[in-house]
Amino acid sequence: MPESEPRLIRGYLEVLAAQLPGPIVEELADGLTETHRSYLSWGLSEDAAAEAAVAEFGSAEEILAGFARVNPARRTARRLLGFGPVVGGCWAAALATSRAWPGSFPARVALGLALVSCIGLLVVAALDRRYRVAFYSGVAGCVGFAALDASLIVGVLVVAGVASWVTALAMAFSSARIALCARAAAAAQQNT
Amino acid sequence: MRAEELKGHLDAVLLATLEGGPRHGYAVIEALRQTTGGRLDLPTGTIYPALRRLEQAGLIAGTWSVVGGRRRREYQLTPAGVRALSGRREAWRDFSAIVTSALENAGLENTACPSPNPA
């Protein structure tokens, strides 16, 4: 929004820009400018037209809540959290039957901590109403899970190979999860 | 009509506004006003998340252009969006016919079949 725009509109867009990605704010700024111009063409003063345009747009809270609901990170996080117990159960069975559990105690602790951190990030992405917080938590959670899945697949292949159908199933689920994360990352790139 | 009353039908209404060709957010709102005679009272800002949701669902596609030094996002129906609009239009006609029939014929039903006299 140029400097010449009324302070009310600039302030309104600054509130939105603090939470939403740049492209979304640019789109809203274009709409708000058009709304403002429309009121100016009806003969309203600069300030009155700005007040009318902002009132017509709705409160910043309403808009932020609307975008929070369509945040792609939220949807992906909810899918991953729903899918997670199935993948986790398969891996637990695969590791137990193939005796390919990470050997040392520190390795097991590291794996557990990484898993809990990724789940935590996805829970934040699924529930937090702040767009940026949900977005970046979702991206971090996706990257974490993709890395965990890749490590598990490579680790088990090296140690035990595809020892059973449960291992094959766990690897297939993990591959699907990596693909979902990659697709979500590509979609996220369009939003930022 | 307020936004809450339109819940569940907003997507179809937005798809219909894009049937005539690509439009940007403000043009979608203007088209809604014109087609409804200004009777649809939606906060303008709520249209934008709805457009994003439709884009994520693959029903519309957005492209950027530059107009008057500002970046502008325009949306157009995808083939899936055209099919979805057609389906929703048909579903709405059925729904509307059923509800209209129920509302307008309920009185006639009572007249035709009076309740039995307890005496």
Side-chain angles (χ1 to χ4, degrees):
Chain A
M1 173 110 342
E3 283 295 309
S4 59
E5 294 295 344
R7 190 185 296 177
L8 180 67
I9 289 184
R10 216 175 312 132
Y12 182 82
L13 289 172
E14 277 168 11
V15 171
L16 297 175
Q19 282 294 322
L20 298 173
I24 291 178
V25 178
E26 279 183 287
E27 187 182 1
L28 291 169
D30 177 51
L32 197 53
T33 304
E34 288 297 319
T35 312
H36 181 233
R37 283 189 181 168
S38 155
Y39 280 110
L40 285 175
S41 71
W42 291 2
L44 268 65
S45 69
E46 276 279 335
D47 289 345
E51 268 181 44
V54 167
E56 186 183 313
F57 243 65
S59 71
E61 289 74 24
E62 265 182 297
I63 294 174
L64 291 171
F67 277 107
R69 282 194 290 274
V70 300
N71 192 336
R74 172 187 272 209
R75 200 179 43 176
T76 304
R78 289 182 177 186
R79 276 187 192 168
L80 286 174
L81 287 170
F83 190 41
V86 179
V87 186
C90 267
W91 272 117
L95 293 172
T97 53
S98 67
R99 300 178 187 282
W101 285 99
S104 64
F105 180 73
R108 290 183 193 189
V109 171
L111 185 67
L113 282 176
L115 185 64
V116 169
S117 306
C118 289
I119 292 171
L121 287 165
L122 291 182
V123 168
V124 171
L127 300 177
D128 203 297
R129 304 187 87 186
R130 291 166 297 173
Y131 194 99
R132 278 187 203 277
V133 172
F135 185 83
Y136 289 116
S137 301
V139 169
C142 277
V143 170
F145 261 118
L148 264 178
D149 281 323
S151 312
L152 277 169
I153 291 171
V154 172
V156 168
L157 277 177
V158 168
V159 174
V162 183
S164 64
W165 67 268
V166 187
T167 310
L169 191 63
M171 286 180 180
F173 278 144
S174 274
S175 303
R177 189 156 62 181
I178 292 170
L180 176 64
C181 290
R183 214 170 47 231
Q189 217 168 15
Q190 288 182 337
N191 271 292
T192 50
Chain B
M1 185 186 277
R2 297 196 61 78
E4 349 17 303
E5 292 172 67
L6 193 63
K7 208 172 180 183
H9 305 294
L10 179 62
D11 289 1
V13 167
L14 291 177
L15 292 175
T17 62
L18 295 172
E19 201 174 22
R23 290 183 200 270
H24 57 93
Y26 183 74
V28 167
I29 293 149
E30 283 291 285
L32 272 180
R33 278 203 192 106
Q34 280 173 10
T35 51
T36 63
R39 283 176 294 172
L40 212 52
D41 179 23
L42 294 176
T44 303
T46 60
I47 297 292
Y48 292 90
L51 288 170
R52 290 277 166 158
R53 190 182 62 243
L54 291 173
E55 189 178 13
Q56 286 165 14
L59 301 180
I60 62 174
T63 49
W64 288 101
S65 59
V66 177
V67 177
R70 293 194 311 274
R71 291 224 305 154
R72 170 166 290 172
R73 192 159 179 81
E74 282 196 325
Y75 297 95
Q76 62 180 343
L77 287 179
T78 62
V82 173
R83 286 194 299 275
L85 176 60
S86 166
R88 287 181 194 200
R89 220 173 231 150
E90 205 167 308
W92 172 257
R93 283 190 190 121
D94 289 347
F95 173 77
S96 168
I98 291 166
V99 174
T100 303
S101 171
L103 291 176
E104 291 182 359
N105 297 331
L108 299 174
E109 178 76 10
N110 287 340
T111 313
C113 305
S115 56
N117 189 340

